[in-house]
Amino acid sequence: MTPYLLIKVSWVIGAILGLIPLGSTMGLAQWVVLNTVTIGMALVGIALALALARPAGMRLPAAPLLLCGWLGTGFLVSMLPYAVISSLVTPPADAQPDKGASAPVWEAVLIQVSFVGMGLGLAVALPAYLRRRWPLPFTGRVGDHAHPHPAGPGAEQGGPRPASGGLVAAGTALGACWLYWAAGGTAGLADPAERNTDWRLLVALFAVWSLAGSAAAWATANGRPARVPRWLPTALVWLGSGSMFAWSAWKLPFTAYTAVAGRAADSVMPENLGVAAAVHVAALATGAAMLRTLVRTYASPAAE
């Protein structure tokens, strides 16, 4: 993430000094605020990388480390398939519309290297770290009856804590909505003409992760298929819930800003703003609830 961090710092300083043309898409204050937020995110990413790689990271408090790891994988690991597929199917003119000032090619390359590199690093380092510190979700099979942390009367019988059927249904409904849009459906879209290959691919990927996370949550709750390794649904719930929460948390403020500031020509999105806001709020709630269920399923006094 270091190249990304340095580029973003140079953008903020350059804009304040009047050295970078901002184009017509946003003013100076908006530019500085947005890029300052991403500078903070890059710093958190670098700190997370060090925590996962250095021995001292094993002694860090669980909650902030798990939260940052979950958001990081939701943002970046879930997008690794997109990075590969978009380079093959997205026409350059479709993927990089001409809107205001554009970055030099070398900056775009370094930013992509930062994102893909951090995503690949998290895909390797985070599971290795979690397996060392909390091995239970990575051992055994889905159908194993031993439960790590009985909760309530009768819980000593074992078996995973059942996930809410409504939670699984919500994730499935979100996935179906995104899949419908990716397949060409127009209900809920205010400007269908604004759809392009890049947008369709992103929406399809959101659908895949939401549906995979919902299926994995059902499998964990019901103990089926019994012979599936436990780490597989654990990883899918982690990635599916993280993708839903992280990207909706990022998109919701932009949706709200567009609703307040008006739909200028350079900020038009295909979705109806009200529908988009409802989808993002539902994805936030569903993703957070999925993570809570996963953590509670494998929580134990020894984990701390």
Side-chain angles (χ1 to χ4, degrees), residues 89-236:
V89 304
T90 305
D94 199 20
Q96 298 177 347
D98 183 18
K99 294 182 178 179
S102 58
V105 172
W106 65 267
E107 283 192 352
V109 169
L110 285 178
I111 289 173
Q112 190 74 357
V113 167
S114 290
F115 286 157
V116 173
M118 186 69 180
L120 290 171
L122 280 173
V124 174
L126 186 62
Y129 177 96
L130 295 177
R131 184 181 177 89
R132 291 194 303 272
R133 189 164 177 180
W134 297 286
L136 185 65
F138 300 90
T139 58
R141 298 185 182 276
V142 171
D144 292 347
H145 292 295
H147 190 271
H149 186 30
E156 64 276 0
Q157 299 284 329
R161 201 181 270 113
S164 166
L167 178 62
V168 176
T172 303
L174 285 167
C177 173
W178 283 319
L179 195 61
Y180 167 77
W181 284 341
T186 58
L189 301 182
D191 295 283
E194 291 297 319
R195 295 176 296 180
N196 56 24
T197 305
D198 191 61
W199 182 86
R200 288 177 184 269
L201 181 56
L202 281 171
V203 169
L205 191 60
F206 292 149
V208 168
W209 284 121
S210 180
L211 293 172
S214 300
W218 181 90
T220 300
N222 292 277
R224 298 195 301 270
R227 296 187 62 80
V228 171
R230 188 182 283 156
W231 66 264
L232 181 57
T234 297
L236 290 176

Side-chain angles (χ1 to χ4, degrees), residues 8 11-12 26 30-40:
K8 287 290 188 167
W11 285 4
V12 171
M26 63 179 67
Q30 296 165 310
W31 177 271
V32 170
V33 168
L34 176 60
N35 285 286
T36 299
V37 169
T38 55
I39 286 171

Side-chain angles (χ1 to χ4, degrees), residues 24-94:
S24 59
T25 57
M26 63 179 67
L28 176 61
Q30 296 165 310
W31 177 271
V32 170
V33 168
L34 176 60
N35 285 286
T36 299
V37 169
T38 55
I39 286 171
M41 293 170 68
L43 288 170
V44 171
I46 291 172
L48 175 62
L50 293 173
L52 297 178
R54 302 297 299 167
M58 296 295 289
R59 299 189 295 273
L60 293 176
L65 188 139
L66 287 173
L67 178 62
C68 291
W70 179 59
L71 292 174
T73 53
F75 271 125
L76 299 177
V77 178
S78 69
M79 288 291 110
L80 290 176
Y82 167 79
V84 175
I85 299 172
S86 65
S87 66
L88 301 175
V89 304
T90 305
D94 199 20

Side-chain angles (χ1 to χ4, degrees), residues 174 252 273-283:
L174 285 167
L252 184 60
L273 292 177
V275 171
V279 167
H280 294 321
V281 169

Side-chain angles (χ1 to χ4, degrees), residues 66 70 137 148-149 161 237-238 288-300 303-304:
L66 287 173
W70 179 59
H149 186 30
R161 201 181 270 113
V237 173
W238 182 273
M290 279 188 176
L291 177 69
R292 181 174 182 270
T293 298
L294 183 65
V295 171
R296 290 186 63 193
T297 296
Y298 295 112
S300 69
E304 298 298 318

